[in-house]
Amino acid sequence: MGKVTGFLEIDRQVAKYQPASDRIRHFREFTIPMSDQEVQKQAARCMDCGIPYCHGPTGCPVHNQIPDWNDLVYNGNWDEAIRNLHSTNNFPEFTGRVCPAPCEEACTLNLEDVPVAIKTVEQAIADKAYEMGYIVPQPAVTKTGKKVAIIGSGPAGMAAAQQLARAGHEVHVYERESKPGGLLRYGIPDFKMEKNFIDRRVEQMKGEGVTFHCGVNVGVDLDVQALIDDNDAVLYCGGSETPRDAGIPGVEFIGVHDAMPYLVQQNRRVGRENIDSVGWPSEPILAGGKHVVVVGGGDTASDCVGTAFRQGAVKVTQLDIRPQPPEKEDKLAVWPFWATKMRTSSSQAEGAVREFQVATLEFVGDEDGNLMGVKCCQVDDRRKPIAGTEFVIKADLAFIAIGFRGPFTNSVLKDLGEKLSLNTDRRGSTNVVANERDYRTSVDKLWTAGDVRRGQSLVVWAIREGRQAARAIDEALMGSTVLPR
């Protein structure tokens, strides 16, 4: 695929970033796009490797046909490239920006640490397709007369809605927030993905017959059973938003917050919306002039780091209970799977102090209840505190970013009560039970997909589940389906 000898002749290149000193002054995207010619050269590096693990189950959850569209880009066939990409992925402009790219980990060239720049090429295809006017509404030629409601407009809900509308069903999407997108809009910072990309897709979907009902909190403003009775099928894509309980003493001090309310607030500010939001605290949370500590080592923690720097934090320290990983993985032991190795996000590279193999013992406050510091200690390989290693980090503001245990329980789940079976694992999750074949719940006419079913995960997994659930619903309603799985 691509140029036969391209991987031997062309060095790997990815899109560059604005300098950290410049990008922390704004909340816009800071990636510098590559020219078409540069992208085509990177696509040319895709080798005819025989078994392309990049688009298998180890590399890409939606099974993007990566070698095919690399070859199309190399040959300048951008129109066919976006059609190929869209055949597996409804929103490549999202995944091209925020996916961690397990496909590149699975690339055969990653055995030599120079994988094909798949994520860069994917984003370029989507952006070029919009530039050339290739992305337009594709309404169904015939209507089925069936009506489907979707609860939640995150990537799973949006993907399912687009697939079902194109199959000819009447689709209504119900969103608690004031605009569609779910945590794509309100959780992911604008410096990682600006929200005009969501707006463009929403307009395309409206042109395909999808109706969006925003500001409707299903289970509170609208009875779930009434929604089920009024539709031929209902798909629940509520996401995973309830933070895990950290169990750290001192969380009551002023200045200690869960991560998501902080990120949601800032995204609403950037979007020129009121920071008051259903389900989230409304008091302003700002890091300007403060010493900030972020507890957690994942993507949400990294987003808090980048947001704090842009708000003017004096210092940001990130605490990770895991040991510092090796700089380089053992390829023969882990390839083509995602490797545990030292990774530095763009936000961390902006100046964060990272502490590894450190446990957070308690938040320390003054007599007035204000946060003053975070007491920590080193831990052993079993994450047990090591005596005598305690220390305190100065902090005016602290964020807990250790993951999510399931959807909010005060709306859909509360309304349905005991009708929904919940999956409770050792970490106390409240995911809705449904299998990966038909995505049906224990409630008649109710399906579920995305993080609300599988637990917190990647955007690309949400898109996959939304597409698969759409196929299952179409097949259940019509007896057969032409939607891809």
Side-chain angles (χ1 to χ4, degrees), residues 348-367:
Q348 292 164 339
E350 289 163 1
V353 176
R354 302 171 71 183
E355 297 280 357
F356 288 97
Q357 211 160 350
V358 166
T360 305
L361 298 178
E362 66 175 311
F363 297 109
V364 181
D366 61 18
E367 295 179 353

Side-chain angles (χ1 to χ4, degrees), residues 10-14 42 45 104 113-118 120:
I10 303 167
D11 292 334
R12 169 182 161 90
Q13 298 290 334
V14 295
Q42 291 307 305
R45 296 185 66 248
E104 294 189 15
D113 292 313
V114 285
V116 175
I118 300 169
T120 296

Side-chain angles (χ1 to χ4, degrees), residues 1-3 39-47 54 65-77 81 84 107 116-122 125:
M1 313 304 281
K3 186 178 181 181
V39 173
Q40 287 177 283
K41 287 177 65 177
Q42 291 307 305
R45 296 185 66 248
C46 188
M47 60 189 292
C54 60
Q65 299 168 125
I66 294 163
D68 299 73
W69 45 254
N70 270 323
D71 185 57
L72 291 165
V73 169
Y74 168 61
N75 288 291
N77 194 343
N84 187 298
C107 177
V116 175
I118 300 169
K119 181 176 176 179
T120 296
V121 176
E122 179 181 23
I125 293 172

Side-chain angles (χ1 to χ4, degrees), residues 140-153:
V141 177
T142 58
K143 299 295 184 180
T144 64
K146 301 293 185 180
K147 186 178 177 183
V148 182
I150 297 177
I151 303 170
S153 67

Side-chain angles (χ1 to χ4, degrees), residues 138-140 143 160-169 171 205 208-210:
Q138 300 176 35
K143 299 295 184 180
Q162 185 163 64
Q163 295 295 94
L164 288 166
R166 290 177 175 178
H169 304 302
V171 180
M205 292 169 65
E208 295 169 345
V210 178

Side-chain angles (χ1 to χ4, degrees), residues 22-80:
D22 293 338
R23 66 183 188 247
I24 62 170
R25 300 176 185 274
H26 61 78
F27 280 89
R28 301 183 302 277
E29 289 184 13
F30 50 79
T31 302
I32 302 171
M34 296 171 68
S35 69
D36 292 352
Q37 293 73 25
E38 290 173 320
V39 173
Q40 287 177 283
K41 287 177 65 177
Q42 291 307 305
R45 296 185 66 248
C46 188
M47 60 189 292
D48 188 6
C49 58
I51 301 177
Y53 285 95
C54 60
H55 66 74
T58 57
C60 181
V62 294
H63 301 293
N64 280 338
Q65 299 168 125
I66 294 163
D68 299 73
W69 45 254
N70 270 323
D71 185 57
L72 291 165
V73 169
Y74 168 61
N75 288 291
N77 194 343
W78 296 91
D79 188 7
E80 185 62 31

